[in-house]
C-alpha cells in the first residue's frame, strides 16, 4: 500500500501523522510524536530500516538514549502500537515493540522512590494493624461480614501506596478510570 511505502521511506513523518489519529489530548499526541521522532532519528542515524528493527534494537535504543524505567514502558508500548499499525497495512515482520514488552525490557521492579524504608514499614504496619484489629474485635461473623468494605478499602490503599500511586492519584480515581472502551482487561 502507499501508506506502507511511506513508512518504509520516511518512518518519522508517517509516525507523526499516525499519532494524530490516536485518541486523547492534542498535547499527548504531540508528546507521542516527539517520542517516535526520537526513536526513528536513532534508527535512521544507525542506517536501520523499519522492517529490520528487532527487540534487541529497541533495547539498545532505550539504553543508549538513557531512557528512564518509567519512560521505557511508554516507548515500548508506543513502538508496539505503531508496528501493529504497519502490520495491519501489510508489513510482514514480527512486532519489535511487542517482543520487547514480552521480554520485559522495562527492567526489574524498583522500590518506590518516594517512600524510604521506614515509611514503607509504617504503612505496612498500619494496614496490618487495621486488618488484625478488625479480626480480633469482630469475632462475630456478622460484624466481619458487615465491615468487609472497610477492610477491603484499607487493603487497597496499602497495595496502591506500596505499588507507587500517590495519594492525589488515588483521590482522582473514579469508576471511569479504565483502559479502553471495554474497560480494563484483567484476564489477559
Amino acid at each position: 500500500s502507499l501508506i506502507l511505502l511511506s513508512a518504509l521511506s520516511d518512518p518519522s513523518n508517517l509516525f507523526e501523522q499516525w499519532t494524530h489519529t490516536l485518541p486523547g489530548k492534542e498535547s499527548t499526541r504531540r508528546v507521542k510524536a516527539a517520542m517516535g521522532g526520537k526513536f526513528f532519528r536513532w534508527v535512521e542515524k544507525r542506517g536501520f530500516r523499519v522492517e529490520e528493527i528487532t527487540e534487541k534494537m529497541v533495547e539498545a535504543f532505550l539504553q543508549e538514549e538513557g531512557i528512564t524505567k518509567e519512560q521505557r514502558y511508554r516507548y515500548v508500548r508506543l513502538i508496539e502500537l505503531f508496528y501493529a499499525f504497519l502490520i495491519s497495512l501489510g508489513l510482514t515482520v514480527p512486532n519489535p515493540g511487542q517482543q520487547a514488552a514480552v521480554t520485559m525490557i522495562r527492567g526489574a521492579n524498583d522500590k518506590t522512590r518516594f517512600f524510604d524504608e521506614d515509611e514503607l514499614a509504617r504503612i505496612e504496619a498500619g494496614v496490618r494493624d487495621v486488618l488484625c484489629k478488625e479480626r480480633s474485635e469482630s469475632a462475630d461473623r456478622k460484624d466481619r461480614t458487615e465491615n468487609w468494605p472497610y477492610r477491603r478499602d484499607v487493603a487497597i490503599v496499602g497495595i496502591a501506596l506500596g505499588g507507587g500511586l500517590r495519594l492525589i492519584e488515588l483521590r482522582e480515581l473514579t469508576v471511569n478510570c479504565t483502559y479502553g472502551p471495554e474497560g480494563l482487561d484483567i484476564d489477559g
Side-chain angles (χ1 to χ4, degrees):
S1 87
L2 191 57
I3 296 174
L4 184 56
L5 290 175
S6 172
L8 298 177
S9 65
D10 188 3
S12 294
N13 185 41
L14 181 63
F15 189 93
E16 184 174 349
Q17 291 175 15
W18 171 75
T19 59
H20 293 295
T21 68
L22 298 175
K25 296 179 183 177
E26 179 59 31
S27 60
T28 302
R29 287 193 291 272
R30 281 194 304 268
V31 168
K32 289 178 179 181
M35 290 169 69
K38 183 174 188 167
F39 175 68
F40 284 110
R41 281 190 302 278
W42 181 90
V43 166
E44 291 166 6
K45 183 178 177 182
R46 281 149 188 78
F48 298 136
R49 295 168 25 133
V50 170
E51 62 273 22
E52 297 172 329
I53 302 301
T54 66
E55 70 180 274
K56 296 291 184 198
M57 292 174 184
V58 173
E59 185 173 7
F61 160 74
L62 297 171
Q63 291 286 59
E64 289 175 24
E65 294 295 316
I67 308 294
T68 63
K69 180 186 175 226
E70 60 189 36
Q71 293 299 317
R72 284 173 173 246
Y73 182 77
R74 291 183 180 112
Y75 269 97
V76 167
R77 289 303 181 185
L78 192 59
I79 292 166
E80 178 184 11
L81 285 172
F82 183 64
Y83 270 85
F85 168 69
L86 295 178
I87 290 167
S88 76
L89 297 175
L91 185 65
T92 55
V93 298
N95 186 325
Q98 183 178 40
Q99 291 176 323
V102 168
T103 57
M104 302 300 283
I105 282 180
R106 359 181 225 166
N109 287 331
D110 297 329
K111 295 206 179 276
T112 57
R113 295 172 300 155
F114 48 88
F115 290 132
D116 62 30
E117 291 298 320
D118 290 338
E119 290 170 320
L120 286 170
R122 286 197 315 264
I123 290 169
E124 183 180 333
V127 170
R128 189 177 294 120
D129 286 348
V130 168
L131 295 178
C132 291
K133 182 180 178 189
E134 282 284 315
R135 189 174 299 141
S136 66
E137 289 179 359
S138 300
D140 182 1
R141 180 169 167 68
K142 185 176 184 226
D143 279 349
R144 286 196 317 246
T145 303
E146 290 174 358
N147 286 333
W148 75 265
Y150 176 72
R151 291 192 312 274
R152 176 208 54 206
D153 293 349
V154 168
I156 288 171
V157 167
I159 290 167
L161 290 174
L165 281 177
R166 296 175 300 172
L167 289 177
I168 188 72
E169 294 167 325
L170 285 173
R171 276 193 296 230
E172 293 176 358
L173 287 178
T174 68
V175 74
N176 295 325
C177 294
T178 58
Y179 182 78
E182 280 101 42
L184 182 62
D185 177 13
I186 58 173
D187 294 326

